[in-house]
Amino acid sequence: MPQSSAQVTAAEISRIAGVTRATVSNWRRRHEDFPAPSGGTESSPLYDLESVRAWLSARGHVSAATPSEELRTMLRLRAQSGGSGASEGLLLLVLAAAGHTQEKLTAVTESPDADLVAHAQRDAVTAADAVPAAGPVRFGASDAAVLRALYACVRDEGGQAALGVLAERELEDSAASGAYLTPAPLADLLADLLPESASEVLDPACGGGTLLAAAARRGAGELYGQDNLPVQALRSAVSLMLTAPEAAVTVHAADSLRADAFPDLAVDAVLCNPPYGVRDWGHDELAYDPRWAYGVPARAESELAWVQHALAHLTPGGYAALLLPPATAGRASGRRVRAELVRSGALRAVIALPVGASVPLHVGLQVWVLQRPEPGGPERKSVLFVDTAADAATGTATAAGRGGTATAARTRGGSRSASLDWDGITARALGAWRAFTENPDTFDGEPGVAHAVGVVDLLDDVVDLTPARLVRASRAEVDPTELSAGVDAARRSLVSAAGALARTAGREGWSAAGASAREWRTATASDLARGGALTLLRTLPEGARGRADGDASESRSGQRPDAARVVLTGSDIARGSVPTGDPAELPSDTAPVISVGDVLVRAVASGDGAMARVADEKDAGALLGLHVHLFRPDPKRLDAWFLAGFLGAEENIAGASTGSTVLTVSPGRLRVPLLPLEEQRRYGEAFRHVHELRAEARRASLLAEETARLLASGFTGGQLLPSRDPAS
């Protein structure tokens, strides 16, 4: 079967084979029959792809690349060789390919290049007729490899996976920023805030179409979208046609604030996750725009422009749900617009989300629910505020009894989207919203979680709509009996944790080494890496080149950063927390993916806390942060806990660090004793015990803080009385 000729780099060979670049370098040196370079330069050679694949196949190396990774590789090669088919055509092709059977897709992938290109051309033309505003498409012979990979990706992983890879590549090429998918649980929450009768839904900043897809799952039949990035608009249209084939889909590419594609459209509902903090949104040229019915937004208040844009597209009584940054609720520059939204009754609810609910992951975002006032409609006397990140007194104590999960999350600033309790968040938000809309005047709320505040009480000099502040005021309504029971539950959990700590600390698992300290031969991590006993990986900053510390190990894994993953940071190791980092902060090309048994060491020796740990199931799948070194031991030669214990030792870190105020760890200089595996395991078990001791101490400390907080809150709030006998 004729195949397209393509050239690949050593890095791409490593991805195809599922090995490090160091291994590829070894193959080149040790195997005379390894394919000779077919292009490139002496320092950056290129190899014929099919020759490399034939060589790998002859040695039993089955490709480790998934269909989506294969598509990524072919897209990179196509960009290098200047393929003739427009990227828009590839997005359209996904829609057509998704309509074929598995057998048909297999037949297409196995056809000769000329037949493959002709078939793809027909498919793209067919799809272009169905997608609004799709331009003409023409593929050429040089596109055969990427077309073959695209059909295979759709066949094996589905149309949405292929769409994601294509959009990902286009966003990289356009240097676009801020284009992130709204997490599916959050998209469903926003859609569930709308009335079930909403059949016409608009998203004026639709991105990949996640919010509109959530609306379609609830029965919306007419979906309207607009996005400033053409690739996102087309991606959204194709994605919606795949997920909601029965819906009428209309998507346009343009700036919604400056060039509204639907100026006369009035819909039942609007869903939107607009861009945040944009100063160049058209403030000057749109100063007299009729959409600003609640006041002209300040230059720093692009979010309030999106709020009014959404209201302008609603029919009277229609609802909108927007995801906004917390600053929108309290910034001084937006006070007048906020006051008018409250006074008119357009703002119905503000729901605070936990940190990590969506990008940016380090900020606790808010959902604003709005309703366009109806002429002659009922007076709206209050606004609902919900804090889904807050726990009622009894809920906090119960969570602490399960191991301090809620307390720990609050202490470290909240967990990330992957570990959030979306069922609980959704239940709190929807429960309060539905009870409030059923009868706003008699809504009792839930102390510490949901509270309805009168319009008059909100219209002060600040008009601060921050839920945490307004909900906190309702804590005084906590039932004394419930709070007392909650404190007692927290106290029992603390006693249990203290007992566990005492048992762990009292375990007799050591003895004196003798009259003098034990001495042993050691080797550096670089030596162990060169000998194949471990692999040293780290994530390099953007633009960095070469290998860390001159090690033979490759410093990158070939895995792509994924916005759906979380990142393990040095702070996570120090605190003993689950991975909490933001993938948007990583370089845009590659980052190692953590596996169970990896040894993780902080790259900066500053502050308190552990310096090293062994990755477990909670760490597996996370991306490696910029300031963490990853040591992947060969389990037949090195025990992971033995390695972690010695690598993280205070004197070892000091000897391998440079700097004065901030100590930077050079991983290759860390030293490890050379001991038999059986003896390593003895030490490893001891280091595991030390790790458990730290974890129990941390849990007991958190529970002590939580118990003290509840007691102090109960005394100052009037729910608890101190003992009559101070000595008791």
Side-chain angles (χ1 to χ4, degrees), residues 380-663:
R380 295 162 187 170
K381 302 177 182 178
S382 60
V383 178
L384 172 67
F385 294 90
V386 183
D387 188 359
T388 64
D391 297 306
T394 54
T396 302
T398 302
R402 291 195 298 266
T405 304
T407 311
R410 182 167 47 254
T411 302
R412 60 178 185 261
S415 57
R416 301 297 178 180
S417 184
S419 58
L420 290 179
D421 176 17
W422 278 108
D423 289 341
I425 294 168
T426 301
R428 284 193 289 274
L430 293 182
W433 171 243
R434 288 166 180 168
F436 175 75
T437 54
E438 186 174 336
N439 198 331
D441 296 332
T442 61
F443 177 74
D444 292 330
E446 182 180 350
V449 176
H451 187 49
V453 181
V455 167
V456 175
D457 296 327
L458 293 171
L459 296 175
D460 54 18
D461 293 339
V462 181
V463 196
D464 189 342
L465 306 178
T466 304
R469 183 182 70 86
L470 296 164
V471 168
R472 193 180 303 122
S474 69
R475 288 188 183 274
E477 302 171 11
V478 174
D479 182 85
T481 303
E482 291 184 3
L483 180 59
S484 179
V487 174
D488 193 48
R491 185 193 62 80
R492 289 196 302 270
S493 296
L494 174 58
V495 171
S496 174
L501 175 60
R503 288 190 296 274
T504 304
R507 189 186 305 169
E508 297 181 2
W510 62 87
S511 61
S516 60
R518 185 178 181 185
E519 296 182 359
W520 38 52
R521 289 192 308 118
T522 63
T524 65
S526 290
D527 292 335
L528 294 173
R530 280 191 287 270
L534 61 81
T535 302
L536 175 58
L537 303 171
R538 68 187 179 101
T539 299
L540 295 180
E542 192 71 57
R545 292 291 181 266
R547 294 170 184 164
D549 304 297
D551 296 338
S553 303
E554 175 58 31
S555 60
R556 298 187 183 224
S557 71
Q559 298 288 340
R560 296 185 59 84
D562 182 351
R565 296 182 186 268
V566 288
V567 176
L568 185 129
T569 67
S571 297
D572 296 330
I573 296 174
R575 291 189 301 253
S577 73
V578 296
T580 63
D582 183 354
E585 298 173 359
L586 290 182
S588 59
D589 47 5
T590 56
V593 176
I594 296 170
S595 300
V596 173
D598 288 344
V599 176
L600 308 161
V601 178
R602 291 160 56 193
V604 178
S606 60
D608 298 326
M611 279 298 300
R613 79 181 190 208
V614 177
D616 58 15
E617 289 78 6
K618 294 179 181 178
D619 299 323
L623 298 175
L624 188 70
L626 282 169
H627 304 298
V628 180
H629 299 299
L630 188 155
F631 298 78
R632 184 163 290 163
D634 179 351
K636 296 179 181 178
R637 300 172 65 181
L638 286 172
D639 179 82
W641 277 106
F642 161 81
L643 185 62
F646 279 98
L647 290 179
E650 185 176 349
E651 62 276 10
N652 203 0
I653 293 293
S657 299
T658 57
S660 53
T661 305
V662 177
L663 298 180

Side-chain angles (χ1 to χ4, degrees), residues 112-448:
D113 287 357
D115 294 344
L116 172 68
V117 172
H119 190 281
Q121 185 68 43
R122 291 193 298 271
D123 273 352
V125 170
T126 301
D129 293 337
V131 177
V137 178
R138 183 169 298 281
F139 296 118
S142 60
D143 298 309
V146 74
L147 294 174
R148 198 180 308 279
L150 186 147
Y151 278 113
C153 185
V154 172
R155 178 193 63 195
D156 297 339
E157 297 186 33
Q160 294 293 353
L163 273 182
V165 173
L166 294 173
E168 173 185 283
R169 180 70 189 182
E170 281 294 291
L171 291 172
E172 286 178 2
D173 290 345
S174 65
S177 61
Y180 303 104
L181 287 176
T182 306
L186 179 54
D188 287 334
L189 170 58
L190 265 66
D192 286 340
L193 290 167
L194 304 178
E196 293 183 2
S197 59
S199 62
E200 302 169 339
V201 181
L202 165 69
D203 184 349
C206 62
T210 311
L211 289 171
L212 290 174
R217 288 193 292 272
R218 298 185 75 254
E222 295 182 35
L223 307 175
Y224 301 90
Q226 185 170 347
D227 197 272
N228 192 37
L229 296 174
V231 62
Q232 289 287 65
L234 184 55
R235 175 192 186 183
S236 180
V238 173
S239 177
L240 291 171
M241 289 179 182
L242 289 175
T243 58
E246 302 302 321
V249 177
T250 306
V251 182
H252 293 291
D255 184 332
S256 289
L257 295 183
R258 284 191 171 97
D260 189 357
F262 307 101
D264 301 319
L265 178 67
V267 294
D268 303 327
V270 174
L271 292 172
C272 191
N273 179 1
Y276 308 145
V278 178
R279 288 185 174 270
D280 184 23
W281 57 269
H283 173 268
D284 295 336
E285 62 206 80
L286 299 173
Y288 301 100
D289 196 287
R291 288 173 291 183
W292 315 146
Y294 303 89
V296 179
R299 190 180 304 277
E301 296 290 349
S302 63
E303 295 84 6
L304 292 177
W306 286 100
V307 165
Q308 296 191 72
H309 177 82
L311 284 166
H313 276 290
L314 291 173
T315 58
Y319 282 89
L322 282 79
L323 186 66
L324 300 173
T328 311
R331 243 181 337 228
S333 56
R335 180 182 63 83
R336 292 184 179 179
V337 175
R338 290 197 302 271
E340 193 55 38
L341 289 169
V342 171
R343 185 180 292 109
S344 67
L347 181 65
R348 304 301 294 125
V350 180
I351 302 170
L353 299 171
V355 170
S358 186
V359 175
L361 294 175
H362 64 286
V363 174
L365 300 175
Q366 298 173 357
V367 178
W368 283 32
V369 184
L370 305 116
Q371 185 180 19
R372 182 164 181 170
E374 303 167 86
E379 181 183 3
R380 295 162 187 170
K381 302 177 182 178
S382 60
V383 178
L384 172 67
F385 294 90
V386 183
D387 188 359
T388 64
D391 297 306
T394 54
T396 302
T398 302
R402 291 195 298 266
T405 304
T407 311
R410 182 167 47 254
T411 302
R412 60 178 185 261
S415 57
R416 301 297 178 180
S417 184
S419 58
L420 290 179
D421 176 17
W422 278 108
D423 289 341
I425 294 168
T426 301
R428 284 193 289 274
L430 293 182
W433 171 243
R434 288 166 180 168
F436 175 75
T437 54
E438 186 174 336
N439 198 331
D441 296 332
T442 61
F443 177 74
D444 292 330
E446 182 180 350

Side-chain angles (χ1 to χ4, degrees), residues 91-100 105 120 122-124 126-127 151 238 242:
L91 288 165
L92 292 172
L93 188 57
V94 173
L95 180 61
H100 294 324
L105 291 172
R122 291 193 298 271
D123 273 352
T126 301
Y151 278 113
V238 173
L242 289 175

